[in-house]
Short mmCIF file of all heavy atoms in Angstrom, two decimals:
data_model
loop_
_atom_site.label_atom_id
_atom_site.label_comp_id
_atom_site.label_asym_id
_atom_site.label_seq_id
_atom_site.Cartn_x
_atom_site.Cartn_y
_atom_site.Cartn_z
N ARG A 1 192.43 211.42 41.99
CA ARG A 1 193.33 210.92 40.94
C ARG A 1 193.64 211.97 39.89
O ARG A 1 194.63 211.88 39.19
CB ARG A 1 192.77 209.66 40.30
CG ARG A 1 192.68 208.52 41.29
CD ARG A 1 192.35 207.21 40.64
NE ARG A 1 192.12 206.16 41.62
CZ ARG A 1 193.08 205.56 42.33
NH1 ARG A 1 194.32 205.90 42.14
NH2 ARG A 1 192.78 204.65 43.21
N SER A 2 192.77 213.00 39.79
CA SER A 2 193.05 214.10 38.85
C SER A 2 193.27 215.41 39.58
O SER A 2 194.13 216.19 39.22
CB SER A 2 191.94 214.22 37.82
OG SER A 2 190.69 214.37 38.45
N GLY A 3 192.48 215.68 40.63
CA GLY A 3 192.65 216.92 41.41
C GLY A 3 192.30 218.16 40.61
O GLY A 3 191.55 218.08 39.62
N PRO A 4 192.84 219.31 41.02
CA PRO A 4 192.53 220.55 40.28
C PRO A 4 193.23 220.56 38.92
O PRO A 4 194.15 219.77 38.67
CB PRO A 4 193.09 221.64 41.20
CG PRO A 4 194.18 220.97 41.96
CD PRO A 4 193.73 219.54 42.14
N ARG A 5 192.81 221.47 38.07
CA ARG A 5 193.28 221.52 36.68
C ARG A 5 194.80 221.54 36.54
O ARG A 5 195.34 220.87 35.69
CB ARG A 5 192.68 222.74 35.99
CG ARG A 5 193.03 222.82 34.53
CD ARG A 5 192.32 223.94 33.87
NE ARG A 5 190.87 223.62 33.89
CZ ARG A 5 189.94 224.39 33.41
NH1 ARG A 5 190.24 225.53 32.87
NH2 ARG A 5 188.68 224.04 33.46
N ALA A 6 195.50 222.31 37.36
CA ALA A 6 196.95 222.47 37.22
C ALA A 6 197.76 221.30 37.79
O ALA A 6 198.96 221.19 37.55
CB ALA A 6 197.42 223.77 37.87
N ALA A 7 197.12 220.40 38.52
CA ALA A 7 197.82 219.28 39.15
C ALA A 7 198.12 218.18 38.12
O ALA A 7 197.45 218.06 37.10
CB ALA A 7 196.98 218.71 40.27
N ARG A 8 199.16 217.41 38.44
CA ARG A 8 199.48 216.20 37.69
C ARG A 8 199.73 215.11 38.72
O ARG A 8 200.79 215.09 39.35
CB ARG A 8 200.70 216.40 36.79
CG ARG A 8 200.95 215.22 35.87
CD ARG A 8 202.21 215.37 35.05
NE ARG A 8 203.39 215.24 35.90
CZ ARG A 8 204.29 216.19 36.12
NH1 ARG A 8 204.18 217.35 35.52
NH2 ARG A 8 205.32 215.99 36.92
N VAL A 9 198.77 214.25 38.93
CA VAL A 9 198.86 213.21 39.93
C VAL A 9 199.58 212.00 39.32
O VAL A 9 199.15 211.46 38.31
CB VAL A 9 197.47 212.80 40.45
CG1 VAL A 9 197.58 211.63 41.43
CG2 VAL A 9 196.78 214.00 41.11
N ASN A 10 200.71 211.62 39.95
CA ASN A 10 201.45 210.44 39.50
C ASN A 10 201.04 209.19 40.27
O ASN A 10 201.17 208.09 39.76
CB ASN A 10 202.95 210.65 39.67
CG ASN A 10 203.49 211.70 38.73
OD1 ASN A 10 202.87 212.04 37.73
ND2 ASN A 10 204.64 212.23 39.07
N GLY A 11 200.57 209.37 41.49
CA GLY A 11 200.19 208.23 42.29
C GLY A 11 199.34 208.62 43.46
O GLY A 11 199.40 209.75 43.94
N ILE A 12 198.53 207.69 43.91
CA ILE A 12 197.72 207.88 45.10
C ILE A 12 197.73 206.56 45.87
O ILE A 12 197.47 205.52 45.31
CB ILE A 12 196.28 208.34 44.76
CG1 ILE A 12 195.46 208.54 46.03
CG2 ILE A 12 195.60 207.42 43.81
CD1 ILE A 12 194.13 209.21 45.81
N GLU A 13 198.11 206.68 47.14
CA GLU A 13 198.13 205.51 48.01
C GLU A 13 197.18 205.79 49.16
O GLU A 13 197.15 206.90 49.70
CB GLU A 13 199.53 205.28 48.56
CG GLU A 13 200.55 204.94 47.51
CD GLU A 13 201.94 204.72 48.07
OE1 GLU A 13 202.06 204.53 49.31
OE2 GLU A 13 202.89 204.76 47.30
N TYR A 14 196.38 204.80 49.51
CA TYR A 14 195.48 204.99 50.65
C TYR A 14 195.25 203.66 51.35
O TYR A 14 195.40 202.59 50.76
CB TYR A 14 194.17 205.63 50.24
CG TYR A 14 193.33 204.81 49.30
CD1 TYR A 14 192.37 203.93 49.80
CD2 TYR A 14 193.48 204.90 47.93
CE1 TYR A 14 191.59 203.18 48.95
CE2 TYR A 14 192.70 204.16 47.08
CZ TYR A 14 191.77 203.29 47.58
OH TYR A 14 191.00 202.54 46.74
N ALA A 15 194.94 203.77 52.63
CA ALA A 15 194.63 202.59 53.43
C ALA A 15 193.58 202.98 54.45
O ALA A 15 193.60 204.11 54.98
CB ALA A 15 195.88 202.09 54.15
N GLU A 16 192.67 202.07 54.72
CA GLU A 16 191.69 202.32 55.78
C GLU A 16 192.40 202.34 57.12
O GLU A 16 193.41 201.65 57.31
CB GLU A 16 190.59 201.26 55.77
CG GLU A 16 189.65 201.43 54.60
CD GLU A 16 188.39 200.61 54.74
OE1 GLU A 16 187.83 200.53 55.86
OE2 GLU A 16 187.97 200.06 53.72
N THR A 17 191.91 203.14 58.03
CA THR A 17 192.50 203.29 59.35
C THR A 17 191.40 203.43 60.39
O THR A 17 190.25 203.68 60.03
CB THR A 17 193.45 204.51 59.40
OG1 THR A 17 194.06 204.60 60.68
CG2 THR A 17 192.72 205.80 59.09
N VAL A 18 191.76 203.28 61.64
CA VAL A 18 190.78 203.44 62.71
C VAL A 18 190.91 204.80 63.38
O VAL A 18 190.14 205.13 64.27
CB VAL A 18 190.91 202.32 63.79
CG1 VAL A 18 190.56 200.98 63.19
CG2 VAL A 18 192.30 202.33 64.40
N GLU A 19 191.88 205.61 62.93
CA GLU A 19 192.04 206.96 63.51
C GLU A 19 190.78 207.77 63.26
O GLU A 19 190.28 207.81 62.13
CB GLU A 19 193.25 207.67 62.89
CG GLU A 19 193.52 209.02 63.50
CD GLU A 19 194.75 209.69 62.93
OE1 GLU A 19 195.67 208.98 62.49
OE2 GLU A 19 194.77 210.93 62.91
N ALA A 20 190.27 208.39 64.30
CA ALA A 20 189.05 209.18 64.17
C ALA A 20 189.37 210.65 63.98
O ALA A 20 190.42 211.13 64.38
CB ALA A 20 188.19 209.01 65.43
N THR A 21 188.49 211.36 63.32
CA THR A 21 188.61 212.80 63.13
C THR A 21 187.35 213.45 63.68
O THR A 21 186.30 212.81 63.74
CB THR A 21 188.76 213.17 61.63
OG1 THR A 21 187.61 212.73 60.94
CG2 THR A 21 189.99 212.50 61.02
N PRO A 22 187.42 214.72 64.10
CA PRO A 22 186.22 215.38 64.61
C PRO A 22 185.11 215.44 63.55
O PRO A 22 185.37 215.82 62.42
CB PRO A 22 186.69 216.80 64.95
CG PRO A 22 188.17 216.66 65.12
CD PRO A 22 188.60 215.57 64.17
N ALA A 23 183.94 214.97 63.89
CA ALA A 23 182.83 214.91 62.94
C ALA A 23 182.50 216.31 62.40
O ALA A 23 182.48 217.29 63.14
CB ALA A 23 181.60 214.31 63.61
N GLY A 24 182.26 216.35 61.10
CA GLY A 24 181.82 217.59 60.46
C GLY A 24 182.90 218.62 60.20
O GLY A 24 182.61 219.70 59.73
N GLU A 25 184.15 218.28 60.49
CA GLU A 25 185.24 219.24 60.27
C GLU A 25 186.21 218.69 59.25
O GLU A 25 186.59 217.52 59.33
CB GLU A 25 186.03 219.49 61.56
CG GLU A 25 185.35 220.37 62.57
CD GLU A 25 186.30 220.66 63.71
OE1 GLU A 25 187.37 221.25 63.46
OE2 GLU A 25 185.97 220.27 64.83
N PHE A 26 186.63 219.51 58.32
CA PHE A 26 187.72 219.16 57.41
C PHE A 26 188.65 220.34 57.43
O PHE A 26 188.29 221.43 57.03
CB PHE A 26 187.21 218.86 55.99
CG PHE A 26 188.23 218.05 55.22
CD1 PHE A 26 188.19 216.67 55.23
CD2 PHE A 26 189.25 218.68 54.53
CE1 PHE A 26 189.13 215.92 54.56
CE2 PHE A 26 190.20 217.95 53.86
CZ PHE A 26 190.14 216.56 53.86
#
């Protein structure tokens, strides 16, 4: 909702999903 210092977040939308991602990787 705030992010890094220079960012200005106006909105954040999120929803739970069943899509899987590889474990331990971002």
Side-chain angles (χ1 to χ4, degrees):
R1 295 189 186 286
S2 55
R5 184 174 294 179
R8 187 183 71 243
V9 176
N10 292 341
I12 180 170
E13 296 179 17
Y14 64 91
E16 287 193 41
T17 182
V18 294
E19 184 178 331
T21 62
E25 284 186 61
F26 200 91

